[in-house]
PDB file of all heavy atoms in Angstrom:
ATOM      1  N   ALA E   1      10.347   6.557  -6.032  1.00  0.00           N
ATOM      2  CA  ALA E   1      10.133   7.186  -7.326  1.00  0.00           C
ATOM      3  C   ALA E   1       9.821   6.152  -8.399  1.00  0.00           C
ATOM      4  O   ALA E   1      10.494   5.128  -8.504  1.00  0.00           O
ATOM      5  CB  ALA E   1      11.360   7.991  -7.725  1.00  0.00           C
ATOM      6  N   GLY E   2       8.794   6.435  -9.174  1.00  0.00           N
ATOM      7  CA  GLY E   2       8.395   5.565 -10.269  1.00  0.00           C
ATOM      8  C   GLY E   2       7.246   4.650  -9.879  1.00  0.00           C
ATOM      9  O   GLY E   2       7.043   4.323  -8.715  1.00  0.00           O
ATOM     10  N   ARG E   3       6.492   4.254 -10.889  1.00  0.00           N
ATOM     11  CA  ARG E   3       5.289   3.435 -10.685  1.00  0.00           C
ATOM     12  C   ARG E   3       5.616   2.104 -10.015  1.00  0.00           C
ATOM     13  O   ARG E   3       4.939   1.709  -9.057  1.00  0.00           O
ATOM     14  CB  ARG E   3       4.617   3.217 -12.035  1.00  0.00           C
ATOM     15  CG  ARG E   3       3.274   2.528 -11.933  1.00  0.00           C
ATOM     16  CD  ARG E   3       2.600   2.393 -13.279  1.00  0.00           C
ATOM     17  NE  ARG E   3       2.078   3.694 -13.667  1.00  0.00           N
ATOM     18  CZ  ARG E   3       2.048   4.134 -14.918  1.00  0.00           C
ATOM     19  NH1 ARG E   3       2.530   3.421 -15.896  1.00  0.00           N
ATOM     20  NH2 ARG E   3       1.537   5.316 -15.188  1.00  0.00           N
ATOM     21  N   ASP E   4       6.635   1.394 -10.465  1.00  0.00           N
ATOM     22  CA  ASP E   4       6.969   0.092  -9.882  1.00  0.00           C
ATOM     23  C   ASP E   4       7.406   0.232  -8.430  1.00  0.00           C
ATOM     24  O   ASP E   4       7.053  -0.589  -7.577  1.00  0.00           O
ATOM     25  CB  ASP E   4       8.066  -0.611 -10.684  1.00  0.00           C
ATOM     26  CG  ASP E   4       7.591  -1.053 -12.062  1.00  0.00           C
ATOM     27  OD1 ASP E   4       6.369  -1.146 -12.281  1.00  0.00           O
ATOM     28  OD2 ASP E   4       8.456  -1.289 -12.931  1.00  0.00           O
ATOM     29  N   SER E   5       8.151   1.277  -8.141  1.00  0.00           N
ATOM     30  CA  SER E   5       8.607   1.539  -6.779  1.00  0.00           C
ATOM     31  C   SER E   5       7.421   1.859  -5.867  1.00  0.00           C
ATOM     32  O   SER E   5       7.358   1.399  -4.721  1.00  0.00           O
ATOM     33  CB  SER E   5       9.608   2.701  -6.803  1.00  0.00           C
ATOM     34  OG  SER E   5      10.139   2.930  -5.533  1.00  0.00           O
ATOM     35  N   LEU E   6       6.473   2.637  -6.373  1.00  0.00           N
ATOM     36  CA  LEU E   6       5.264   2.954  -5.613  1.00  0.00           C
ATOM     37  C   LEU E   6       4.498   1.694  -5.259  1.00  0.00           C
ATOM     38  O   LEU E   6       4.134   1.481  -4.102  1.00  0.00           O
ATOM     39  CB  LEU E   6       4.378   3.907  -6.422  1.00  0.00           C
ATOM     40  CG  LEU E   6       2.976   4.119  -5.851  1.00  0.00           C
ATOM     41  CD1 LEU E   6       2.783   5.561  -5.439  1.00  0.00           C
ATOM     42  CD2 LEU E   6       1.927   3.730  -6.867  1.00  0.00           C
ATOM     43  N   VAL E   7       4.259   0.845  -6.234  1.00  0.00           N
ATOM     44  CA  VAL E   7       3.511  -0.398  -5.990  1.00  0.00           C
ATOM     45  C   VAL E   7       4.249  -1.270  -4.981  1.00  0.00           C
ATOM     46  O   VAL E   7       3.643  -1.796  -4.039  1.00  0.00           O
ATOM     47  CB  VAL E   7       3.259  -1.160  -7.311  1.00  0.00           C
ATOM     48  CG1 VAL E   7       2.714  -2.567  -7.042  1.00  0.00           C
ATOM     49  CG2 VAL E   7       2.293  -0.382  -8.192  1.00  0.00           C
ATOM     50  N   ALA E   8       5.548  -1.415  -5.142  1.00  0.00           N
ATOM     51  CA  ALA E   8       6.328  -2.242  -4.214  1.00  0.00           C
ATOM     52  C   ALA E   8       6.241  -1.694  -2.789  1.00  0.00           C
ATOM     53  O   ALA E   8       6.087  -2.458  -1.829  1.00  0.00           O
ATOM     54  CB  ALA E   8       7.786  -2.317  -4.666  1.00  0.00           C
ATOM     55  N   ARG E   9       6.325  -0.372  -2.645  1.00  0.00           N
ATOM     56  CA  ARG E   9       6.239   0.222  -1.305  1.00  0.00           C
ATOM     57  C   ARG E   9       4.850   0.034  -0.702  1.00  0.00           C
ATOM     58  O   ARG E   9       4.722  -0.313   0.482  1.00  0.00           O
ATOM     59  CB  ARG E   9       6.602   1.710  -1.365  1.00  0.00           C
ATOM     60  CG  ARG E   9       6.489   2.410  -0.040  1.00  0.00           C
ATOM     61  CD  ARG E   9       7.411   1.801   1.005  1.00  0.00           C
ATOM     62  NE  ARG E   9       7.375   2.563   2.239  1.00  0.00           N
ATOM     63  CZ  ARG E   9       7.728   2.081   3.423  1.00  0.00           C
ATOM     64  NH1 ARG E   9       8.170   0.844   3.534  1.00  0.00           N
ATOM     65  NH2 ARG E   9       7.661   2.831   4.486  1.00  0.00           N
ATOM     66  N   LEU E  10       3.814   0.252  -1.482  1.00  0.00           N
ATOM     67  CA  LEU E  10       2.461   0.069  -0.958  1.00  0.00           C
ATOM     68  C   LEU E  10       2.222  -1.384  -0.543  1.00  0.00           C
ATOM     69  O   LEU E  10       1.620  -1.653   0.507  1.00  0.00           O
ATOM     70  CB  LEU E  10       1.421   0.513  -1.991  1.00  0.00           C
ATOM     71  CG  LEU E  10       1.421   2.003  -2.332  1.00  0.00           C
ATOM     72  CD1 LEU E  10       0.398   2.289  -3.426  1.00  0.00           C
ATOM     73  CD2 LEU E  10       1.165   2.852  -1.106  1.00  0.00           C
ATOM     74  N   GLU E  11       2.705  -2.315  -1.336  1.00  0.00           N
ATOM     75  CA  GLU E  11       2.566  -3.730  -0.977  1.00  0.00           C
ATOM     76  C   GLU E  11       3.366  -4.066   0.279  1.00  0.00           C
ATOM     77  O   GLU E  11       2.922  -4.848   1.114  1.00  0.00           O
ATOM     78  CB  GLU E  11       2.984  -4.616  -2.146  1.00  0.00           C
ATOM     79  CG  GLU E  11       1.983  -4.574  -3.274  1.00  0.00           C
ATOM     80  CD  GLU E  11       2.373  -5.414  -4.475  1.00  0.00           C
ATOM     81  OE1 GLU E  11       3.579  -5.715  -4.642  1.00  0.00           O
ATOM     82  OE2 GLU E  11       1.470  -5.761  -5.247  1.00  0.00           O
ATOM     83  N   GLU E  12       4.531  -3.467   0.426  1.00  0.00           N
ATOM     84  CA  GLU E  12       5.349  -3.681   1.619  1.00  0.00           C
ATOM     85  C   GLU E  12       4.632  -3.172   2.868  1.00  0.00           C
ATOM     86  O   GLU E  12       4.620  -3.841   3.911  1.00  0.00           O
ATOM     87  CB  GLU E  12       6.696  -2.974   1.464  1.00  0.00           C
ATOM     88  CG  GLU E  12       7.578  -3.080   2.682  1.00  0.00           C
ATOM     89  CD  GLU E  12       8.866  -2.265   2.556  1.00  0.00           C
ATOM     90  OE1 GLU E  12       9.014  -1.478   1.594  1.00  0.00           O
ATOM     91  OE2 GLU E  12       9.716  -2.427   3.440  1.00  0.00           O
ATOM     92  N   VAL E  13       4.022  -2.008   2.777  1.00  0.00           N
ATOM     93  CA  VAL E  13       3.299  -1.446   3.922  1.00  0.00           C
ATOM     94  C   VAL E  13       2.134  -2.352   4.307  1.00  0.00           C
ATOM     95  O   VAL E  13       1.914  -2.640   5.483  1.00  0.00           O
ATOM     96  CB  VAL E  13       2.823  -0.002   3.619  1.00  0.00           C
ATOM     97  CG1 VAL E  13       1.856   0.497   4.671  1.00  0.00           C
ATOM     98  CG2 VAL E  13       4.020   0.929   3.501  1.00  0.00           C
ATOM     99  N   VAL E  14       1.401  -2.839   3.329  1.00  0.00           N
ATOM    100  CA  VAL E  14       0.281  -3.753   3.602  1.00  0.00           C
ATOM    101  C   VAL E  14       0.791  -5.026   4.268  1.00  0.00           C
ATOM    102  O   VAL E  14       0.242  -5.487   5.269  1.00  0.00           O
ATOM    103  CB  VAL E  14      -0.496  -4.082   2.305  1.00  0.00           C
ATOM    104  CG1 VAL E  14      -1.451  -5.246   2.514  1.00  0.00           C
ATOM    105  CG2 VAL E  14      -1.250  -2.849   1.822  1.00  0.00           C
ATOM    106  N   ALA E  15       1.850  -5.597   3.737  1.00  0.00           N
ATOM    107  CA  ALA E  15       2.398  -6.836   4.291  1.00  0.00           C
ATOM    108  C   ALA E  15       2.925  -6.645   5.709  1.00  0.00           C
ATOM    109  O   ALA E  15       2.758  -7.513   6.569  1.00  0.00           O
ATOM    110  CB  ALA E  15       3.507  -7.364   3.381  1.00  0.00           C
ATOM    111  N   THR E  16       3.532  -5.511   5.972  1.00  0.00           N
ATOM    112  CA  THR E  16       4.115  -5.239   7.287  1.00  0.00           C
ATOM    113  C   THR E  16       3.055  -4.963   8.340  1.00  0.00           C
ATOM    114  O   THR E  16       3.166  -5.432   9.473  1.00  0.00           O
ATOM    115  CB  THR E  16       5.077  -4.036   7.196  1.00  0.00           C
ATOM    116  OG1 THR E  16       6.090  -4.332   6.245  1.00  0.00           O
ATOM    117  CG2 THR E  16       5.719  -3.736   8.533  1.00  0.00           C
ATOM    118  N   THR E  17       2.022  -4.223   7.974  1.00  0.00           N
ATOM    119  CA  THR E  17       1.029  -3.793   8.956  1.00  0.00           C
ATOM    120  C   THR E  17      -0.219  -4.659   8.994  1.00  0.00           C
ATOM    121  O   THR E  17      -0.928  -4.671   9.990  1.00  0.00           O
ATOM    122  CB  THR E  17       0.577  -2.351   8.671  1.00  0.00           C
ATOM    123  OG1 THR E  17      -0.087  -2.331   7.406  1.00  0.00           O
ATOM    124  CG2 THR E  17       1.741  -1.393   8.692  1.00  0.00           C
ATOM    125  N   GLY E  18      -0.518  -5.331   7.887  1.00  0.00           N
ATOM    126  CA  GLY E  18      -1.757  -6.095   7.798  1.00  0.00           C
ATOM    127  C   GLY E  18      -2.950  -5.245   7.399  1.00  0.00           C
ATOM    128  O   GLY E  18      -4.052  -5.753   7.242  1.00  0.00           O
ATOM    129  N   GLY E  19      -2.755  -3.948   7.214  1.00  0.00           N
ATOM    130  CA  GLY E  19      -3.850  -3.060   6.818  1.00  0.00           C
ATOM    131  C   GLY E  19      -4.204  -3.246   5.360  1.00  0.00           C
ATOM    132  O   GLY E  19      -3.365  -3.095   4.488  1.00  0.00           O
ATOM    133  N   ARG E  20      -5.460  -3.600   5.092  1.00  0.00           N
ATOM    134  CA  ARG E  20      -5.881  -3.884   3.725  1.00  0.00           C
ATOM    135  C   ARG E  20      -7.011  -2.973   3.236  1.00  0.00           C
ATOM    136  O   ARG E  20      -7.469  -3.098   2.117  1.00  0.00           O
ATOM    137  CB  ARG E  20      -6.334  -5.324   3.615  1.00  0.00           C
ATOM    138  CG  ARG E  20      -5.237  -6.293   3.976  1.00  0.00           C
ATOM    139  CD  ARG E  20      -5.477  -7.667   3.437  1.00  0.00           C
ATOM    140  NE  ARG E  20      -4.539  -8.716   3.748  1.00  0.00           N
ATOM    141  CZ  ARG E  20      -3.246  -8.654   3.894  1.00  0.00           C
ATOM    142  NH1 ARG E  20      -2.645  -7.525   3.797  1.00  0.00           N
ATOM    143  NH2 ARG E  20      -2.510  -9.702   4.161  1.00  0.00           N
ATOM    144  N   TRP E  21      -7.485  -2.061   4.074  1.00  0.00           N
ATOM    145  CA  TRP E  21      -8.597  -1.197   3.677  1.00  0.00           C
ATOM    146  C   TRP E  21      -8.407   0.193   4.266  1.00  0.00           C
ATOM    147  O   TRP E  21      -7.979   0.327   5.411  1.00  0.00           O
ATOM    148  CB  TRP E  21      -9.916  -1.774   4.199  1.00  0.00           C
ATOM    149  CG  TRP E  21     -11.095  -0.964   3.771  1.00  0.00           C
ATOM    150  CD1 TRP E  21     -11.696   0.044   4.488  1.00  0.00           C
ATOM    151  CD2 TRP E  21     -11.808  -1.054   2.546  1.00  0.00           C
ATOM    152  NE1 TRP E  21     -12.730   0.586   3.769  1.00  0.00           N
ATOM    153  CE2 TRP E  21     -12.836  -0.076   2.568  1.00  0.00           C
ATOM    154  CE3 TRP E  21     -11.663  -1.861   1.415  1.00  0.00           C
ATOM    155  CZ2 TRP E  21     -13.714   0.097   1.510  1.00  0.00           C
ATOM    156  CZ3 TRP E  21     -12.554  -1.686   0.367  1.00  0.00           C
ATOM    157  CH2 TRP E  21     -13.560  -0.718   0.422  1.00  0.00           C
ATOM    158  N   ALA E  22      -8.761   1.193   3.504  1.00  0.00           N
ATOM    159  CA  ALA E  22      -8.719   2.567   4.008  1.00  0.00           C
ATOM    160  C   ALA E  22     -10.049   3.241   3.704  1.00  0.00           C
ATOM    161  O   ALA E  22     -10.428   3.358   2.534  1.00  0.00           O
ATOM    162  CB  ALA E  22      -7.572   3.340   3.376  1.00  0.00           C
ATOM    163  N   ASP E  23     -10.761   3.621   4.760  1.00  0.00           N
ATOM    164  CA  ASP E  23     -11.958   4.444   4.561  1.00  0.00           C
ATOM    165  C   ASP E  23     -11.493   5.799   4.073  1.00  0.00           C
ATOM    166  O   ASP E  23     -10.621   6.419   4.689  1.00  0.00           O
ATOM    167  CB  ASP E  23     -12.717   4.648   5.875  1.00  0.00           C
ATOM    168  CG  ASP E  23     -13.322   3.368   6.432  1.00  0.00           C
ATOM    169  OD1 ASP E  23     -13.640   2.461   5.646  1.00  0.00           O
ATOM    170  OD2 ASP E  23     -13.475   3.291   7.666  1.00  0.00           O
ATOM    171  N   VAL E  24     -12.045   6.251   2.972  1.00  0.00           N
ATOM    172  CA  VAL E  24     -11.728   7.582   2.473  1.00  0.00           C
ATOM    173  C   VAL E  24     -12.719   8.527   3.143  1.00  0.00           C
ATOM    174  O   VAL E  24     -13.885   8.592   2.774  1.00  0.00           O
ATOM    175  CB  VAL E  24     -11.817   7.652   0.936  1.00  0.00           C
ATOM    176  CG1 VAL E  24     -11.508   9.058   0.444  1.00  0.00           C
ATOM    177  CG2 VAL E  24     -10.884   6.628   0.295  1.00  0.00           C
ATOM    178  N   ASP E  25     -12.242   9.219   4.173  1.00  0.00           N
ATOM    179  CA  ASP E  25     -13.102  10.068   4.983  1.00  0.00           C
ATOM    180  C   ASP E  25     -13.362  11.427   4.352  1.00  0.00           C
ATOM    181  O   ASP E  25     -14.429  12.003   4.527  1.00  0.00           O
ATOM    182  CB  ASP E  25     -12.488  10.257   6.378  1.00  0.00           C
ATOM    183  CG  ASP E  25     -12.312   8.935   7.108  1.00  0.00           C
ATOM    184  OD1 ASP E  25     -13.213   8.091   7.053  1.00  0.00           O
ATOM    185  OD2 ASP E  25     -11.239   8.754   7.729  1.00  0.00           O
TER     186      ASP E  25
END
């Protein structure tokens, strides 16, 4: 919840998985 929490979670997912791009299908 909250903008800072969202950014932290998205950065964590990128760091954990290595995924840096998403094709918007």
